[in-house]
């Protein structure tokens, strides 16, 4: 009877843990303000926050008090939260190389417009964004490990006088994925500067990043001055005594195609 009670308690605990883990997926990926208070000055509990988040995500109505508390704790409006939850599916962990202005473990995130940014938390209007112009990954690599388990025993061929030891062994092969080299070529949307970032990615990370938008490289058009302008530039060099009269005449004829 006691054993059955213990088993039942363990099962209830496991179910409760599973439900809690599932509900945690509704928590927005932002820096939660744990000191936030509702309209009545009461501290906002995690359960209350989860309840409001779940309603918003399932398009269920929430009260003004729930909206106030949710925004106070997360800094997000209802629309912001739905945007964040959509973006969460286009987010994965990333460790930038030395070529990046970001240091340490962070997350790479793709916005709805295809631009990416790096941040541990969701940002509605990130200051620094990038375009991916090239992405390459070497593919999955694995480490294989063999593990042998089993037991052995003495088999009596002749009682006491002669014995033969036999074994019942089983070998299991396990594969563990190692991170593989990946290269991102990014374009800073502010400076138009190219940044090359190399890091190690696993298959799950690659599946997300490889689905990001790949942009055409922004190449600034080369300005071609008219022939008259080019002759004026060469004449300025002559006036400054930087070239001779004969050099000016030769360059002028070259520009005019004579």
């Amino acid at each position: 009877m006691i054993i059955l009670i213990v088993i039942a308690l363990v099962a209830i605990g496991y179910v409760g843990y599973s439900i809690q883990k599932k509900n945690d997926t509704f928590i927005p990926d932002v820096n939660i303000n744990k000191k936030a208070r509702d309209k009545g000055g009461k501290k906002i509990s995690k359960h209350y926050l989860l309840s409001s988040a779940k309603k918003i995500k399932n398009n269920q109505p929430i009260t003004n008090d729930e909206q106030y508390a949710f925004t106070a704790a997360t800094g997000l409006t209802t629309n912001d939260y739905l945007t964040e939850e959509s973006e969460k599916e286009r987010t994965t962990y990333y460790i930038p190389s030395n070529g990046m202005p970001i240091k340490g473990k962070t997350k790479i995130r793709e916005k709805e417009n295809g631009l990416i940014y790096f941040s541990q938390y969701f940002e509605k209007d990130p200051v620094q964004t990038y375009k991916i112009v090239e992405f390459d990954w070497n593919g999955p690599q694995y480490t294989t490990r063999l593990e042998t388990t089993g037991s052995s025993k003495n088999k009596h061929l002749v009682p006491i006088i002669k014995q033969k030891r036999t074994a019942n062994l089983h070998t299991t092969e396990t594969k563990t994925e190692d991170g593989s080299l990946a290269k991102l070529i990014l374009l800073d949307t502010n400076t138009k500067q190219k940044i090359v970032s190399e890091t190690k990615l696993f298959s799950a990370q690659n599946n997300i990043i490889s689905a990001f938008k790949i942009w055409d490289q922004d190449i600034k058009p080369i300005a071609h001055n008219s022939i008259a302008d080019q002759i004026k530039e060469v004449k300025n060099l002559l006036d400054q005594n930087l070239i001779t009269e004969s050099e000016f005449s030769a360059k002028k004829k070259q520009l005019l195609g004579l």
Side-chain angles (χ1 to χ4, degrees):
M1 184 66 180
I2 296 177
I3 295 176
L4 292 176
I5 293 174
V6 171
I7 293 174
L9 290 174
V10 171
I12 292 171
Y14 176 77
V15 171
Y17 174 77
S18 300
I19 293 173
Q20 181 64 39
K21 291 293 288 183
K22 183 177 181 180
N23 285 338
D24 282 350
T25 61
F26 291 101
I27 291 291
D29 196 7
V30 296
N31 191 10
I32 302 294
N33 181 6
K34 297 181 179 180
K35 296 181 179 180
R37 305 277 173 172
D38 61 17
K39 285 184 176 181
K42 185 179 177 182
K43 186 177 179 181
I44 302 168
S45 68
K46 183 178 180 180
H47 175 75
Y48 190 79
L49 185 62
L50 275 170
S51 175
S52 300
K54 193 172 182 179
K55 287 180 181 179
I56 297 172
K57 194 167 184 178
N58 292 331
N59 294 318
Q60 297 174 349
I62 61 173
T63 65
N64 290 335
D65 288 346
E66 288 175 324
Q67 177 65 72
Y68 177 89
F70 184 81
T71 302
T74 66
L76 302 175
T77 64
T78 300
N79 290 334
D80 291 342
Y81 173 67
L82 293 175
T83 300
E84 179 274 333
E85 287 298 287
S86 173
E87 185 179 293
K88 190 184 289 184
E89 299 175 0
R90 304 186 304 277
T91 299
T92 187
Y93 284 101
Y94 191 86
I95 301 178
S97 66
N98 293 332
M100 294 289 296
I102 304 98
K103 304 296 181 184
K105 187 175 181 180
T106 184
K107 292 179 181 178
I108 182 172
R109 302 168 177 273
E110 186 189 43
K111 294 176 63 63
E112 290 180 330
N113 59 9
L115 298 179
I116 68 163
Y117 67 100
F118 297 88
S119 175
Q120 285 284 3
Y121 299 112
F122 166 77
E123 296 178 15
K124 181 181 178 181
D125 297 305
V127 176
Q128 184 61 67
T129 58
Y130 303 87
K131 292 180 178 179
I132 298 179
V133 296
E134 186 177 328
F135 173 65
D136 184 57
W137 184 55
N138 284 353
Q141 297 180 3
Y142 299 91
T143 296
T144 302
R145 192 178 78 176
L146 298 177
E147 183 177 358
T148 302
T149 58
S151 61
S152 62
K153 62 181 180 179
N154 293 329
K155 183 177 181 181
H156 296 273
L157 297 179
V158 179
I160 302 175
I161 300 174
K162 189 176 181 181
Q163 297 180 349
K164 181 178 180 180
R165 196 170 186 82
T166 61
N168 181 21
L169 303 178
H170 178 70
T171 301
T172 303
E173 179 181 290
T174 57
K175 287 185 177 181
T176 304
E177 185 178 0
D178 301 321
S180 304
L181 185 64
K183 181 173 75 173
L184 269 177
I185 299 182
L186 307 172
L187 191 70
D188 189 316
T189 56
N190 294 327
T191 65
K192 304 301 181 183
Q193 177 185 1
K194 282 186 182 178
I195 300 173
V196 179
S197 175
E198 292 185 339
T199 189
K200 285 188 175 182
L201 298 179
F202 292 89
S203 295
Q205 294 168 289
N206 170 71
N207 292 341
I208 294 175
I209 297 176
S210 61
F212 287 175
K213 179 175 180 178
I214 304 296
W215 295 75
D216 294 331
Q217 299 189 34
D218 290 351
I219 302 176
K220 295 181 179 180
I222 300 173
H224 295 285
N225 295 334
S226 66
I227 294 177
D229 290 336
Q230 294 181 62
I231 292 175
K232 286 181 181 178
E233 291 177 1
V234 178
K235 182 63 167 61
N236 288 334
L237 296 177
L238 175 64
D239 294 340
Q240 298 175 42
N241 296 321
L242 296 176
I243 60 174
T244 64
E245 185 71 38
S246 59
E247 289 174 329
F248 169 71
S249 298
K251 186 65 178 177
K252 182 179 178 180
K253 288 181 179 179
Q254 178 186 347
L255 292 171
L256 293 173
L258 300 176

